[in-house]
Amino acid sequence: MSIDEQPNAPEPEQPGANPDFNAPVPPPVRGGGRNPLALVVVGVMAAAMLYFGFHMARRAGSDAPHLAGKSSVAPDFTLESLDGKNMRLSDLRGKAVLLNFWATWCGPCKIETPWLVELQKQYGSQGLQVVGIAMDDSGKDDIEKFAKDMGVNYPVLLGKEAVGDAYGGVPALPESFFIGRNGKIVDRIIGLKGRGEIEDAIKKALDTEAGATPTSTASATVQPQK
Amino acid sequence: MLLRPHASLCVLVLIAAGCFAQAGKAPSVSMIPVGPVTAQRTKQTIVDLDFRVASGFHINSNAPKSEFLIPTSLKMDPPTDIVLGRVQYPAGKDLSFPFSPDEKLNVYSGDFTIKVAVHPLRSVVPGKYAVRGTLRYQACDNAQCFPPKTLPVNFDVKIVKEPSQGHRNPAQSPHVHN
């Protein structure tokens, strides 16, 4: 039973009964004013709103600042590859691109990499280009060794924070973006998922038409720092 | 049974906080504050540094099994004339994860303790000193990994004088008693 529902709750003392005449007298508490059930309902609603509000904010935040999510144009960038050449994403227009953010210290990435190697072999002739972006702080040598050990058959670029930011911050790895032939993002996979899920997203990207060059890439263009 | 209204609200706030924690999925390692440490000059005192890895996450141990994995490491910056001895890391647990079922990783999860030996030199003026440092770790959950992070580590140590030594050769009575 709620304390407010006690039928014999003592009445507040009258001023005359209080030995300290100057002490403030608390207002009488009315038991019928608060319905515990209503409070619980309000509380549950508040918690639900907080939860969903947070979820929405997080989703929006993860896509910020440039990336609006699926169907938006993939932010363009130029990054150095392991062989020392610069590679620009927009040069791959007309191909379906699997942009895979990874790192040598990422265990799940190690599982995913052989799948990407196989998928590049399988769908390369249909126009798929896997591109790895290594987000390591460690040197190029470690990345090169990892890529060699894993038999990577696609370009690996040396990641920059600015590129990660353009793609929503990439807070955890692996994270893959599937870009259609028209340069638009058609799907995104965060964390390690099944090979089948990656393959489905690749097919989605391959199914797109190479449209006209999008014009909204300028603000999202990231150049490597000199 | 009905709870008091404000108690119900507190429970709901806790539930909401739990939802936040789950939704945020922020990997965290926290340090449990170190109690008072008293170290005697010229003697070695072992200090236990207790850490907690948030539920659902793990971090590599100090000796992970792959050269590419980032080991958990403690780096301390003690005040002058307080020497820190070798850092003793706990053994990690060999666990396999859904992302690596055939390979066991050596990790810390839940609570773990790193021991540090504090050795104040004779030249240290007795008093309270702050020892600062960082714990570098790299956390993962079952499907994704998070970039390496550093956690500030600090504890205070009270340095006291070594007890005065008794006279090895107490003064002898000049008188010879036969």
Side-chain angles (χ1 to χ4, degrees):
Chain A
M1 177 184 285
S2 161
I3 197 167
D4 290 340
E5 289 178 335
Q6 287 178 7
N8 297 324
E11 288 294 320
E13 290 182 1
Q14 295 303 312
N18 193 334
D20 183 358
F21 295 107
N22 295 322
V25 179
V29 178
R30 293 179 184 272
R34 289 181 190 160
N35 182 345
L37 193 62
L39 277 172
V40 168
V41 170
V42 169
V44 167
M45 285 175 69
M49 285 166 72
L50 279 169
Y51 178 71
F52 287 112
F54 178 79
H55 242 312
M56 295 300 285
R58 188 167 174 263
R59 282 184 64 180
S62 68
D63 290 339
H66 301 296
L67 195 63
K70 292 175 189 176
S71 312
S72 65
V73 175
D76 198 11
F77 58 80
T78 304
L79 287 174
E80 188 190 336
S81 64
L82 281 179
D83 59 10
K85 293 175 186 164
N86 279 346
M87 186 174 179
R88 190 181 167 96
L89 178 68
S90 52
D91 290 345
L92 298 172
R93 190 71 39 82
K95 289 193 168 199
V97 177
L98 192 171
L99 205 57
N100 176 244
F101 289 88
W102 67 284
T104 55
W105 42 258
C106 162
C109 303
K110 207 174 158 187
I111 300 301
E112 199 181 60
T113 304
W115 300 344
L116 302 184
V117 170
E118 287 170 17
L119 291 163
Q120 177 61 59
K121 272 185 202 159
Q122 192 177 340
Y123 292 99
S125 58
Q126 294 176 42
L128 172 70
Q129 182 59 64
V130 179
V131 176
I133 299 185
M135 298 302 281
D136 283 75
D137 287 336
S138 58
K140 192 175 165 181
D141 291 350
D142 279 353
I143 299 167
E144 211 155 26
K145 185 176 186 311
F146 186 98
K148 197 179 169 191
D149 288 357
M150 303 298 287
V152 169
N153 56 354
Y154 50 83
V156 172
L157 311 179
L158 305 174
K160 300 264 183 207
E161 210 176 312
V163 175
D165 288 346
Y167 280 81
V170 192
L173 299 171
E175 182 165 353
S176 292
F177 292 85
F178 299 83
I179 302 165
R181 297 176 193 272
N182 54 5
K184 289 186 173 180
I185 294 168
V186 297
D187 211 340
R188 176 186 188 185
I189 293 179
I190 302 172
L192 182 69
K193 298 281 163 69
R195 187 186 187 279
E197 207 165 323
I198 297 173
E199 194 167 359
D200 288 347
I202 287 173
K203 286 177 184 167
K204 229 189 278 181
L206 286 168
D207 278 349
T208 54
E209 299 275 330
T213 305
T215 53
S216 60
T217 55
S219 64
T221 298
V222 179
Q223 295 291 338
Q225 290 175 343
K226 299 284 178 188
Chain B
M1 189 183 86
L2 280 176
L3 295 168
R4 292 179 181 203
H6 39 280
S8 316
L9 277 177
C10 287
V11 169
L12 287 165
V13 167
L14 285 174
I15 291 169
C19 292
F20 268 90
Q22 276 301 105
K25 295 249 319 174
S28 72
V29 175
S30 52
M31 183 184 175
I32 295 156
V34 179
V37 176
T38 302
Q40 191 182 301
R41 284 195 310 200
T42 72
K43 286 215 165 180
Q44 185 169 281
T45 301
I46 303 291
V47 179
D48 284 357
L49 303 175
D50 297 320
F51 298 94
R52 178 164 293 162
V53 182
S55 171
F57 297 97
H58 63 268
I59 64 174
N60 297 315
S61 74
N62 176 249
K65 292 187 171 182
S66 163
E67 60 179 312
F68 293 114
L69 299 179
I70 295 172
T72 294
S73 64
L74 182 73
K75 194 178 175 189
M76 300 302 292
D77 185 19
T80 312
D81 290 346
I82 297 178
V83 178
L84 293 189
R86 198 168 65 88
V87 176
Q88 293 172 20
Y89 295 93
K93 292 175 214 158
D94 280 343
L95 296 177
S96 56
F97 294 90
F99 60 76
S100 183
D102 303 328
E103 185 187 9
K104 288 199 170 178
L105 303 179
N106 195 255
V107 301
Y108 300 142
S109 58
D111 292 352
F112 67 97
T113 301
I114 297 177
K115 291 176 185 289
V116 182
V118 176
H119 188 103
L121 302 181
R122 194 183 296 276
S123 53
V124 180
V125 177
K128 201 172 174 184
Y129 291 84
V131 183
R132 303 278 177 261
T134 53
L135 182 80
R136 185 168 190 252
Y137 65 92
Q138 190 268 306
C140 297
D141 64 17
N142 283 343
Q144 55 193 343
C145 291
F146 301 84
K149 281 191 170 185
T150 51
L151 173 75
V153 171
N154 53 71
F155 62 90
D156 291 338
V157 58
K158 185 183 171 190
I159 309 294
V160 295
K161 281 183 186 173
E162 57 278 27
S164 55
Q165 290 183 344
H167 296 288
R168 284 182 185 169
N169 297 309
Q172 300 290 318
S173 166
H175 305 288
V176 177
H177 303 282
N178 290 322

